[in-house]
Amino acid sequence: MNATVKKAFILAVVAVLARIDVQAQAPFAHLVADMPTTGVPFKAAKDITKRSYGIPNYKGHISAKLYEDIQCTSYFMADTEELAPDSYAKFRIPNTPYYLFVASFGGPTDYLTDMLVIVDSKGNVLDTLEASVWCFPGIAVKQYEITGSYEVIIHMLKPLASNSISFADFSSFPASRMSRTYKITNGKFVLQSEKNYRQQTYTRAQLEQESYNIWNGQEQIL
């Protein structure tokens, strides 16, 4: 093997090893070190300002779907490269080795799904929780907040109808609002409590308002 061929061979091997190293790296490793920490309490309202950081190599670590219906049972895209997620918030869980990240999917589309992701100090994924589901121009059927004590509250609308209600063409639907509170324990989301609210009819005009978030409803607790 002459010197030129040998040099080309070595460079090729180095390139392959570099790719393997990148692929093997925990998906949040760079964000643990580089991404600024977000303060609490935090509410993922429709009008929050987002500065996004890419999440490489998410497949096999996080599963997410872009939904077609209000019930979140039908989807048109899941776990593909086109869904390449980014993160707009990182929380450091006090007195633990854990971080809480948002992984946001579907940014270039009319649909959006946010996953909350618990990672360790090396960026490895420990647990995930679906936290936000939107459809353009701002119809949210699931939103989240993080309290000052780092509990996670997921607010959602649960339609009463058994048939699928499409985001694209509904005018209104009866639903019950529900709020679930989770505590982060040993790197896992642990359900602590659930609140249910009296049912009412939600309209497209109401849900499309930028100022209307699920927690703004005046529903009575059951």
Side-chain angles (χ1 to χ4, degrees):
M1 181 182 296
N2 63 43
T4 301
V5 174
K6 185 177 181 179
K7 182 178 180 180
F9 176 77
I10 292 173
L11 290 174
V13 171
V14 169
V16 169
L17 291 176
R19 285 197 297 271
I20 292 173
D21 180 67
V22 169
Q23 292 170 356
Q25 188 180 47
F28 290 87
H30 67 302
L31 296 184
V32 167
D34 299 337
M35 189 173 174
T37 301
T38 304
V40 294
F42 176 86
K43 284 191 173 185
K46 294 180 181 179
D47 59 352
I48 61 172
T49 300
K50 301 179 180 180
R51 179 185 176 189
S52 297
Y53 295 75
I55 305 171
N57 310 318
Y58 87 93
K59 291 185 68 176
H61 301 278
I62 313 168
S63 180
K65 300 176 175 66
L66 298 185
Y67 295 101
E68 295 178 306
D69 65 342
I70 300 294
Q71 286 92 338
C72 300
T73 56
S74 175
Y75 59 90
F76 67 92
M77 188 180 293
D79 301 332
T80 69
E81 296 302 332
E82 289 79 7
L83 272 176
D86 52 30
S87 183
Y88 59 83
K90 168 184 127 181
F91 306 88
R92 179 74 168 89
I93 309 303
N95 305 314
T96 76
Y98 309 128
Y99 294 84
L100 179 63
F101 283 90
V102 181
S104 188
F105 293 81
T109 74
D110 287 344
Y111 300 84
L112 179 70
T113 298
D114 285 354
M115 303 290 290
L116 293 179
V117 185
I118 302 172
V119 309
D120 62 19
S121 59
K122 296 182 179 179
N124 297 299
V125 174
L126 304 178
D127 201 10
T128 64
L129 179 66
E130 188 175 85
S132 182
V133 175
W134 286 28
C135 178
F136 181 83
I139 300 168
V141 296
K142 185 178 288 188
Q143 290 178 278
Y144 71 94
E145 63 176 294
I146 300 171
T147 71
S149 56
Y150 292 88
E151 288 185 319
V152 175
I153 304 176
I154 308 295
H155 305 278
M156 66 192 82
L157 301 180
K158 305 291 289 185
L160 304 184
S162 57
N163 59 299
S164 179
I165 303 171
S166 170
F167 273 116
D169 54 18
F170 82 90
S171 58
S172 65
F173 60 88
S176 295
R177 175 185 159 195
M178 179 186 296
S179 297
R180 289 175 175 164
T181 300
Y182 295 82
K183 185 177 181 180
I184 297 173
T185 303
N186 297 323
K188 300 293 182 181
F189 293 105
V190 180
L191 181 63
Q192 298 294 297
S193 63
E194 182 175 288
K195 290 181 181 179
N196 292 282
Y197 297 79
R198 191 175 303 279
Q199 69 184 61
Q200 68 176 47
T201 297
Y202 296 87
T203 67
R204 175 178 289 274
Q206 174 188 13
L207 297 179
E208 284 183 347
Q209 295 176 35
E210 185 177 355
S211 61
Y212 185 86
N213 298 286
I214 295 175
W215 52 75
N216 296 138
Q218 300 299 313
E219 305 93 339
Q220 293 181 333
I221 298 178
L222 295 176

